[in-house]
Amino acid sequence: MIYLDYQATTPLAPEARDAMLPWLGGAETVGFANPHSPHRPGRAAAAAIEVARQQVAALLPPGGRVIFTGSATEALNLAIFGSGAKRLAVSAIEHAAVLDTARAASSCVTLLPVNTNGLVDAAAAIPQGSDLVAVMQVNNEIGTVQPVNELAEASHRAGALFLCDAVQGAGKISYPEGADLVALSAHKLYGPKGIGALWVRDGVTLSPLMYGGGQEQGLRSGTLSPALCAGFGAAAKLALERAEADMQHVASLWSIAREILSRWTLNGSAEARWPGNMNVRLEGVDVARLMSDLRDLAFSAGSACASGSGRPSHVLTALGLSPHEAKSSIRLGFGRYSRLREIEDACARINAAAAAQGV
Ligand code: PLP
């Protein structure tokens, strides 16, 4: 199996797994202790969580705090509902965790359009008097990097807070400066599933979604998992240390894949992008058949979330692609643990399978 779905999730880094193990201990160790208990094992678990919090905070701007959540989806819900925003502006290519949450929170949601390159215009018409603007850092379907620093400034000029879904960019590219709220997910940066975080700029106040023990500074009640926090922290630390090496590795895989798939048209900007995401289309290709012919390649048609729904991707149609073009698109995602030979092999087989369809 060749794994080509790094936007859906990334492999767990061995370093992150090792950091988790002491906190999964059985009855013979005390690693399982409740981090909110005042006894010694509880305090040790709490200390491990604080180390992890610092490690995750290092991926984010100074001047804020990290609230651990169960996922980025939860972090985005906490930001959108917790801010109490009623006039929202969100980009047309946001993940459902932002789009659907914004629509659930308010009936007054302005969609900020993207150009044919999949980029939100930094001078986009953010309605004056908006409460909250949300634009993602790196798009999960097409990999385009949005001008989030400029958008944060424009949001502030319009009187709004700026929320950035940095799930696909965190630990890979530099943090979104100027954001007031930033959502992250551990499993997209080689950490474990089941944990995310919301970074909240100092001075921004939120209401909790859940009530209970008042953990996470009253914003997220519920017992934290020290193992998940430690895994997230270790993954964040490693991502910072390896950022340059990971980027170079992924960029070299991109060049080879692009060369082999030169017949395929790239969806989204070739320049303003994370190179570990290649969304390409080929006129006439039957993607469902391609995927069934290539069952030992784990890649996706559109985004993992939209796959299987039968609807053309809202991201690809926002770029101006016809439903037909959107449905002849595939997404290949690669990263730290992808090997050159695997990418060459996978791309050659994708070409051969398309040729077998007569396209
Ligand atoms: N935002 C983006 C851009 C994503 O790609 C994803 C996951 O696919 C999410 C949010 C949701 O993340 P989580 O799985 O942690 O809820």
Side-chain angles (χ1 to χ4, degrees), residues 36-83:
H36 312 296
S37 295
H39 48 58
R40 199 155 61 156
R43 288 203 312 275
I49 289 175
E50 291 319 307
V51 170
R53 198 185 303 282
Q54 291 311 316
Q55 290 168 327
V56 174
L59 297 179
L60 292 153
R65 58 205 166 119
V66 169
I67 307 295
F68 285 121
T69 60
S71 61
T73 300
E74 186 192 326
L76 291 161
N77 272 263
L78 176 58
I80 293 171
F81 279 105
S83 68

Side-chain angles (χ1 to χ4, degrees), residues 152-245:
E153 282 175 20
S155 305
H156 294 153
R157 281 197 299 276
L161 290 176
F162 184 70
L163 164 64
C164 185
D165 170 350
V167 165
Q168 297 285 344
K172 300 188 178 83
I173 60 174
S174 172
Y175 52 68
E177 279 167 37
D180 302 293
L181 297 154
V182 182
L184 308 185
S185 183
H187 75 102
K188 310 283 185 172
L189 51 90
Y190 308 99
K193 292 169 190 57
I195 182 160
L198 181 67
W199 177 87
V200 185
R201 183 175 290 287
D202 292 341
V204 174
T205 52
L206 297 176
S207 304
L209 297 178
M210 297 181 293
Y211 294 85
Q215 288 92 345
E216 294 301 89
Q217 303 166 47
L219 281 180
R220 206 274 185 167
S221 285
T223 304
L224 281 175
S225 161
L228 292 177
C229 293
F232 191 178
K237 177 170 179 279
L238 192 64
L240 261 189
E241 290 165 358
R242 294 193 46 130
E244 191 50 45

